[in-house]
Amino acid sequence: MALRSPEGVPDSRGLNLFDADPSCRGLLELHLDPGLFAHLLPHLTRLGAMAGAELDELALIADKNPSRLKGQEVEKNPAYRNLEEVAFGQYGLAAMSHRGGVLGWPEQMPPAAKYALSYLYVQAEFGVCCPLSMTDALTRTIRKFADPALVARYLPGLTSQDMDLLTQGAMFMTEQQAGSDVGLISTIAKKQGEYWTLHGDKWFCSNADAGLALVLARPEAAPNGTAGLSLFLLPRTLPDGSANHYQIVRLKDKLGTRAMPSGEIKLEGAHAWLVGDPQQGFKQMADMINMSRLSNGMRAAGLMRRALTEALFVARNRKAFGKYLVELPLMRRQLLKLMLPAEAARSVLFFISGELQKADAGDEAARRIVRLMTPLIKFRACRDARKVTGDAMEVRGGVGYTEEWSDPRLLRDAHLGSIWEGTSNIVALDVLRAIRREHCLEDLLPLLNGKIESAPRLLAGRLAASLDKAADFAHEAASTGNEAYARQAATGLYYACAAALMAHEGTRLGERGDARRQLLAFLAYVHRLAPRDPLRRVTTGYEAELAEALLPETPIAPDAAERILTRLA
Ligand SMILES: Cc1cc2nc3c(=O)[nH]c(=O)nc-3n(C[C@H](O)[C@H](O)[C@H](O)COP(=O)(O)OP(=O)(O)OC[C@H]3O[C@@H](n4cnc5c(N)ncnc54)[C@H](O)[C@@H]3O)c2cc1C
């Protein structure tokens, strides 16, 4: 029995994670249609309550009881199965982009709705979000590229909310010699009339027992490199009910996502169907990869919010030296440093969600914006999540390091975001590639400059100058092929975009009485964009004033925000 004392360790268990995040509601009102927002509000409230209580408990149990391989069956702990049921079944998170009828909404839901719910879910459980995202993304990719008869066969299972009928998705790309360098894939595909057989070893296969996987392989006699790769759909069970010809060799023993089974798979003449154009295999797979990268950005944003919620709760309820932690100047500064990346990530996430919706409706400029912003959020938000989850753990003190609380699990899971679906270096290089090859900045900059214009003058001038500078840097690194600066360029661009977006949200929310995000935009400017001298003595007390305004997470009227900005500027 653990010791408990009312004056001792504050117990955040049972918090409603939606209600404990007061800005979330206003933000969602901005980014969702009013009718859909009103419809989703009770679902968000219920999911927030579950995420802070039973889902969190299930996630703790699942984390301590990893999946195991028994023969060719993956044995999952009942806690993990429950977590799957909530995500795929009750909330239909993998289905809602592909059909109506999920959560009582008659149409397919827009990306912002899916990400809003998943953002809340991931605050309790990160591991299940990988199969969720892969199922959702695989469905999207086959609907775009596969033979309609194949899509018709598998769509009902992929979008089912009945766990007995559900088919989950996976992606098998990585091989021992071919991770970042996908062009080195050596799995061979042999044509056998209607279908193909696959022969080779896949080295990292998350959701290893999924019913369907998209696989990259090289048809016999196809050229080397990515140009010679084709995309295949691999079922776990063949249409006649027999097991397909591949073996799960073993499951990985991982730092995080311990309950979600990632395996090694030996393809021994496994039957598979060609998807789309055999010469465009890698390009088609990029569609699934990019959706997974965006989902990773969303997950990082959610992990950071959970970490911030916990840190604020502890700081508001724990005393040291006769004061609540949140009253101590140095702690206030640290809390602001957790708040900024967490808030920045969700502004970027909801911006991309809106652009993705337009892109899917055929808007080419929006497609290019999504093309650039996806590796940007995957890179920066996933890196920020590593730090924010670690630093939030420290706010809880010694017990933060114990497995009784969510902190260690969040930290372990956060580290994965930066590695899979492209490491930090690889996605930062992809940012430069998007700028160089597809000229994505040309669509992004006018849009963001338009958003900045609505901010108070003192803020707008600084943000516009920062955006210019960050874009120039990124453009130069991209056009000169200066790879060594890819990460620095991506970080600058990400925060310049995030600041512009937060300022605009602040202006729009200000019309309803809350301009707090304008102050967050200013914080982004001071901490991430303005030139800094590490030895400069700060005499203005601007951080104390920002902490005073931002840490309570209560609305700030536009005139009050403008007064603060005028004083600080
Ligand atoms: C838990 C987990 C689950 C996974 N699930 C899946 C899955 O379901 N399906 C799947 O296909 N894969 C999966 N992966 C594999 C993952 O995507 C790869 O591990 C990742 O892409 C890196 O590839 P690699 O391990 O071969 O590392 P490498 O490619 O060898 O990279 C090693 C280091 O070199 C750096 N590097 C490589 N190229 C460059 C460059 N040009 N410039 C600078 N630095 C460079 C990388 O950034 C990295 O730091 C999973 C991985 C993990 C950890």
Side-chain angles (χ1 to χ4, degrees), residues 11-34:
D11 192 348
S12 55
R13 289 183 184 90
L15 274 183
N16 181 318
L17 296 179
F18 182 60
D19 295 342
D21 174 8
S23 302
C24 195
R25 202 183 154 126
L27 269 180
L28 295 183
E29 272 183 284
L30 278 192
H31 295 290
L32 293 171
D33 271 0

